[in-house]
Amino acid sequence: MTNPIITLTTDYGNGDHLVGVLKGVILRINPDVHIVDITHDIAPFDLLDAAVTIAEASKYFPPRTIHVVIVDPGVGTERRPLLTRADTNYYIAPDNGVLSLIYDREESLTVRHITTEHYFLQPISQTFHGRDVFAPVAAWLTKNWQPASMGDAITDFKRFNIPKPKQDGYVLKGVILRIDRFGNLMTNFTAADLPEEILKSGKLQLLLNDKEVSRLVANFAQGQPNEPVAVIGSSGFIEVVVNKASASRVLSIGRGTPATLVLG
Amino acid sequence: MTNPIITLTTDYGNGDHLVGVLKGVILRINPDVHIVDITHDIAPFDLLDAAVTIAEASKYFPPRTIHVVIVDPGVGTERRPLLTRADTNYYIAPDNGVLSLIYDREESLTVRHITTEHYFLQPISQTFHGRDVFAPVAAWLTKNWQPASMGDAITDFKRFNIPKPKQDGYVLKGVILRIDRFGNLMTNFTAADLPEEILKSGKLQLLLNDKEVSRLVANFAQGQPNEPVAVIGSSGFIEVVVNKASASRVLSIGRGTPATLVLG
Amino acid sequence: MTNPIITLTTDYGNGDHLVGVLKGVILRINPDVHIVDITHDIAPFDLLDAAVTIAEASKYFPPRTIHVVIVDPGVGTERRPLLTRADTNYYIAPDNGVLSLIYDREESLTVRHITTEHYFLQPISQTFHGRDVFAPVAAWLTKNWQPASMGDAITDFKRFNIPKPKQDGYVLKGVILRIDRFGNLMTNFTAADLPEEILKSGKLQLLLNDKEVSRLVANFAQGQPNEPVAVIGSSGFIEVVVNKASASRVLSIGRGTPATLVLG
């Protein structure tokens, strides 16, 4: 009844024809598809950025949504195109680990190597598999809903580990995973990593380079002007933020900066 | 018959999962919604920018369109979520004045404080009410079309005044409200602020810092190369423009610059 | 049955209300239209950039798609609005050559001067024909599918030539037409311009300023670290690329740089 949904997450940017081509390819195969842009501004070739984005966004989509994720530094090589079924959604992406957080999260998982070339756009280029492989396979899937027709299930797909905090004596060593548009610093600490007394007291000692964050608060507005505070972010990770300002700018902290949590 | 329309205007940017999450939340509640991006590039926390954008864009949408406007520096505080009916459209936004121009424009206005928590995404975070409150309420409204079910009408909602030009002796003092992508400078003067003789003769004296604009013309092409000229912009405001160039760059003028119109 | 498709390609940017206004105008006339953003980030007034973008993207859309292309430095002058039928798609654009590559490509072509003002949004502004002319005509076309109702066919429409490579003794002189987000350099050489021995051997001599490219390879991954190599790009043009890096940055080469291919 309802139109099928295909989402797009790429590092193509919005400046040229690439995204338009993906949409055209999909709509020519099935003009009833509802295409939803998640983002096309993944940093070029940044698999971790894409992995976090699709894992966070896909949680909220309805059953049978098809997510196309194209960050593909290995285009033209032997890396395989994959069709993954995880819980109630489908994912179409290159086999380079970009779905690692989906693999980690989902209990029920079928990963297929897409090999049925008659669903591809011919001739297949060596440089634009978004157009020639990923988009058309997504569109055909909305016509037949037969994942098995796309290729056989495999188990040796690539995955990488999101860096996890490591305990080292009295400290927990983590990292700034990501910085958003507001300058909020997302660490790889989750609420579960915090000792109970920090959650109760709201007092902590979190070191970023030579800067210290000493309060865990419920929301941005509880921070004093220019005071960096920690909050439990909407994705479950601890974020360092400054009320109505950019923590990244206030603290001069970039992505990849070590974050050290003093325990006890 | 026709699918319901929800538009999105935010300061989230397009660089991460936030916009995708909003879309997922809406489509999981009602997969038939037609989601329309107005912009996600409102300057962070810039209520005036958002107020002008939604006021200009919403004029053109069909009846029963639902506009979700999320620029929300007070997220997590007691600021209220609102559902406004103005003429034939609905607006869902925080109570921080971001709809001020809609309030000013519309005769028939009902503003409700959204309190019916069973329409929210649980548990409600302290930092992402776009996901937990605004998007789901918009989607549920397309299912029941019962604004009264969302909360009671209020009258003490916040509004701010768009800076209006002020007469001071022989001059009218205004300001550059906004600069668009082409470098056109939008003032807060409207055609109605201009004396009849300026409209007839096309001669005026408009001062921006130490620069002077001396002609009001019908369109960009009537300007000489590098000549800043005034036009009546598409939104009704007087704009200072340079034909095929950026007035902002040619004049070195930024947003907030005083604009002084000499009268008589 | 299926909803009509209107695509948008503009230089409006995504930062203000302009794109939202176009979408509102279309949906108020026909709320069943499926609006597809190709890009709004054409460089301001850049007709060549827009011409390449719409030509590349439009190849892939289904029959009866209507492409609205608004890059319009002459807005408010006598330049005509056009409705073009080329093969199975429609194009609505100003008469400034922005459709030149479509004209070059398509055998079957009907170009109409849009004159039926009752399809326009009244009063017509002098500065925003996207809102007042192009968007409403596109929307009305989805209601009546009668291109002839929009105006008479003409043959004196404007077109410009994409710069073609020129032979000069033992060299072929071309140019960098475009640089994409990854820093790939698109030349105006096509595979057909290359001598057979280059295609066979993969050896060539392509000069960009004082830099030399000496290998034509099948895909990015065949390049050595930091080695600029030539590939046949997905649009058929020869591109200079660097594996997992930006050729533009590695070579310090910008758009418009001469590219010289040594023959034999």
Side-chain angles (χ1 to χ4, degrees):
Chain A
M1 258 350 68
T2 282
N3 293 345
I5 297 170
I6 294 177
T7 81
L8 302 177
T9 302
T10 77
D11 62 356
Y12 288 172
N14 288 289
D16 58 23
H17 60 286
L18 297 180
V19 171
V21 167
L22 296 186
K23 294 176 179 177
V25 167
I26 290 168
L27 293 171
R28 192 156 64 182
I29 294 168
N30 185 352
D32 292 322
V33 168
H34 185 161
I35 299 174
V36 176
D37 293 304
I38 290 182
T39 176
H40 300 288
D41 287 332
I42 298 294
F45 310 139
D46 192 328
L47 297 175
L48 176 59
D49 189 15
V52 175
T53 298
I54 191 60
E56 284 304 316
S58 65
K59 286 180 200 168
Y60 299 95
F61 278 83
R64 299 231 293 186
T65 299
I66 300 169
H67 302 283
V68 176
V69 184
I70 315 174
V71 178
D72 193 15
V75 63
T77 66
E78 292 299 304
R79 71 96 194 85
R80 299 169 293 188
L82 302 182
L83 166 58
T84 294
R85 168 142 199 173
D87 256 355
T88 63
N89 280 193
Y90 296 96
Y91 299 82
I92 293 176
D95 181 22
N96 57 21
V98 73
L99 298 181
S100 291
L101 277 82
I102 305 294
Y103 302 150
D104 286 355
R105 180 174 75 200
E106 302 295 347
E107 305 257 316
S108 151
L109 196 71
T110 312
V111 180
R112 295 177 184 279
H113 175 194
I114 302 167
T115 51
T116 317
E117 300 208 1
H118 69 260
Y119 290 121
F120 298 174
L121 213 66
Q122 301 291 351
I124 303 169
S125 72
Q126 295 253 11
T127 57
F128 194 4
H129 286 193
R131 176 190 66 190
D132 303 332
V133 177
F134 300 110
V137 165
W140 285 115
L141 184 59
T142 67
K143 303 282 276 189
N144 74 9
W145 295 110
Q146 300 288 341
S149 74
M150 300 299 173
D152 294 336
I154 62 170
T155 54
D156 63 339
F157 47 88
K158 286 201 185 144
R159 54 204 299 176
F160 55 76
N161 292 318
I162 292 293
K164 290 270 196 319
K166 280 179 192 146
Q167 190 159 356
D168 180 4
Y170 292 93
V171 303
L172 199 60
K173 294 187 165 181
V175 70
I176 301 299
L177 268 190
R178 204 183 202 201
I179 298 179
D180 72 16
R181 186 181 194 227
F182 301 94
N184 302 323
L185 309 170
M186 186 173 119
T187 71
N188 61 341
F189 300 123
T190 64
D193 294 320
L194 299 187
E196 190 67 27
E197 69 252 36
I198 291 182
L199 295 171
K200 274 189 193 154
S201 69
K203 289 183 193 168
L204 83 177
Q205 195 180 1
L206 177 61
L207 306 170
L208 300 169
N209 290 345
D210 58 334
K211 313 293 181 6
E212 184 172 332
V213 179
S214 58
R215 292 207 297 145
L216 173 72
V217 298
N219 59 55
F220 296 11
Q222 294 178 8
Q224 300 303 312
N226 282 317
E227 181 200 16
V229 291
V231 299
I232 299 172
S234 59
S235 310
F237 291 99
I238 306 298
E239 299 185 13
V240 174
V241 307
V242 174
N243 187 19
K244 299 187 189 175
S246 159
S248 172
R249 213 171 285 172
V250 168
L251 297 172
S252 297
I253 292 288
R255 187 179 170 199
T257 300
T260 304
L261 184 71
V262 180
L263 299 171
Chain B
M1 257 350 68
T2 283
N3 292 346
I5 298 169
I6 293 178
T7 81
L8 302 177
T9 302
T10 77
D11 63 356
Y12 288 172
N14 287 290
D16 58 22
H17 60 286
L18 297 180
V19 170
V21 168
L22 296 185
K23 294 176 178 177
V25 167
I26 290 168
L27 292 170
R28 192 155 64 183
I29 294 168
N30 185 352
D32 293 322
V33 168
H34 185 161
I35 299 175
V36 176
D37 294 303
I38 289 184
T39 176
H40 300 289
D41 286 332
I42 298 292
F45 310 140
D46 192 329
L47 298 175
L48 176 58
D49 189 16
V52 174
T53 297
I54 191 59
E56 285 303 317
S58 65
K59 286 179 199 167
Y60 299 95
F61 278 82
R64 299 230 291 186
T65 298
I66 300 169
H67 302 284
V68 175
V69 184
I70 315 174
V71 179
D72 193 15
V75 64
T77 66
E78 293 299 303
R79 70 97 194 85
R80 299 170 292 188
L82 302 182
L83 166 59
T84 295
R85 167 142 199 172
D87 257 356
T88 63
N89 279 192
Y90 297 94
Y91 299 83
I92 293 177
D95 182 21
N96 57 20
V98 73
L99 298 181
S100 292
L101 277 82
I102 305 294
Y103 301 151
D104 287 355
R105 180 174 77 199
E106 303 295 348
E107 306 255 318
S108 151
L109 197 70
T110 311
V111 180
R112 295 178 184 280
H113 175 193
I114 302 167
T115 51
T116 316
E117 301 209 359
H118 68 261
Y119 292 121
F120 299 175
L121 213 67
Q122 300 294 348
I124 303 170
S125 71
Q126 297 253 12
T127 57
F128 195 4
H129 285 193
R131 176 190 67 191
D132 303 332
V133 177
F134 300 110
V137 166
W140 285 114
L141 185 59
T142 68
K143 303 282 275 191
N144 73 9
W145 295 110
Q146 300 288 343
S149 75
M150 301 297 174
D152 294 335
I154 61 171
T155 54
D156 64 340
F157 47 87
K158 286 203 186 144
R159 54 204 299 176
F160 56 76
N161 293 317
I162 292 293
K164 290 269 196 320
K166 279 180 192 146
Q167 191 160 355
D168 181 3
Y170 292 94
V171 302
L172 198 61
K173 293 187 166 181
V175 69
I176 301 300
L177 268 188
R178 204 182 202 201
I179 298 179
D180 72 16
R181 186 179 193 229
F182 301 94
N184 302 321
L185 309 170
M186 186 173 118
T187 72
N188 62 340
F189 302 124
T190 63
D193 293 321
L194 299 187
E196 190 67 27
E197 69 253 35
I198 291 182
L199 295 171
K200 274 188 192 153
S201 69
K203 289 183 191 169
L204 84 175
Q205 197 180 0
L206 176 62
L207 305 171
L208 300 169
N209 290 345
D210 58 335
K211 310 296 180 7
E212 183 173 333
V213 179
S214 58
R215 293 206 297 146
L216 175 71
V217 298
N219 59 55
F220 296 11
Q222 294 179 7
Q224 299 302 312
N226 282 315
E227 182 200 17
V229 292
V231 299
I232 299 173
S234 59
S235 310
F237 291 100
I238 306 298
E239 299 184 14
V240 175
V241 306
V242 174
N243 187 20
K244 300 187 189 174
S246 159
S248 172
R249 213 171 287 174
V250 168
L251 298 171
S252 297
I253 292 289
R255 187 178 170 199
T257 301
T260 304
L261 184 70
V262 179
L263 300 169
Chain C
M1 255 352 66
T2 282
N3 292 346
I5 298 169
I6 293 178
T7 80
L8 302 177
T9 302
T10 78
D11 63 356
Y12 288 172
N14 287 289
D16 58 21
H17 60 286
L18 297 181
V19 170
V21 168
L22 296 185
K23 294 177 177 176
V25 167
I26 290 168
L27 293 170
R28 193 156 62 183
I29 294 168
N30 186 352
D32 292 322
V33 169
H34 185 162
I35 299 174
V36 175
D37 293 304
I38 290 184
T39 176
H40 300 288
D41 286 333
I42 298 293
F45 310 140
D46 192 328
L47 297 175
L48 176 59
D49 189 16
V52 174
T53 298
I54 191 60
E56 285 304 316
S58 64
K59 286 179 199 169
Y60 299 94
F61 278 83
R64 301 230 292 187
T65 298
I66 299 169
H67 302 284
V68 176
V69 184
I70 314 175
V71 179
D72 194 15
V75 64
T77 66
E78 292 299 304
R79 70 97 194 85
R80 300 169 293 188
L82 302 182
L83 167 58
T84 295
R85 168 143 197 171
D87 257 357
T88 63
N89 278 193
Y90 296 95
Y91 299 83
I92 293 176
D95 182 21
N96 57 20
V98 72
L99 298 181
S100 293
L101 277 81
I102 305 294
Y103 302 151
D104 287 355
R105 180 174 75 198
E106 301 296 345
E107 306 256 317
S108 150
L109 197 71
T110 311
V111 181
R112 295 177 184 280
H113 175 193
I114 302 167
T115 52
T116 316
E117 299 208 1
H118 69 260
Y119 291 121
F120 299 174
L121 212 66
Q122 301 294 349
I124 303 170
S125 71
Q126 296 254 11
T127 57
F128 194 5
H129 285 193
R131 176 190 68 191
D132 304 332
V133 176
F134 300 110
V137 166
W140 284 115
L141 184 59
T142 67
K143 303 282 275 191
N144 74 8
W145 295 109
Q146 300 288 342
S149 75
M150 299 298 173
D152 295 335
I154 61 170
T155 55
D156 63 339
F157 47 88
K158 287 203 184 139
R159 54 205 298 177
F160 56 75
N161 293 316
I162 292 293
K164 290 271 195 319
K166 281 179 192 147
Q167 191 160 356
D168 180 4
Y170 291 95
V171 302
L172 198 61
K173 293 189 164 179
V175 70
I176 300 300
L177 269 187
R178 206 182 201 201
I179 298 178
D180 72 16
R181 185 179 194 228
F182 301 94
N184 302 322
L185 310 170
M186 185 174 118
T187 71
N188 61 341
F189 301 123
T190 64
D193 294 320
L194 298 187
E196 190 66 28
E197 70 252 36
I198 292 182
L199 295 172
K200 274 188 193 155
S201 70
K203 289 184 192 168
L204 85 176
Q205 195 180 2
L206 176 63
L207 306 171
L208 300 168
N209 290 346
D210 58 334
K211 311 295 181 7
E212 183 173 333
V213 179
S214 58
R215 292 206 298 145
L216 174 71
V217 298
N219 59 56
F220 296 11
Q222 295 180 6
Q224 300 302 313
N226 281 316
E227 181 200 16
V229 291
V231 299
I232 299 173
S234 60
S235 310
F237 292 100
I238 305 298
E239 300 185 13
V240 174
V241 307
V242 174
N243 187 20
K244 299 187 190 175
S246 160
S248 172
R249 213 172 286 174
V250 168
L251 298 171
S252 297
I253 292 288
R255 187 179 171 199
T257 300
T260 304
L261 184 70
V262 180
L263 300 170

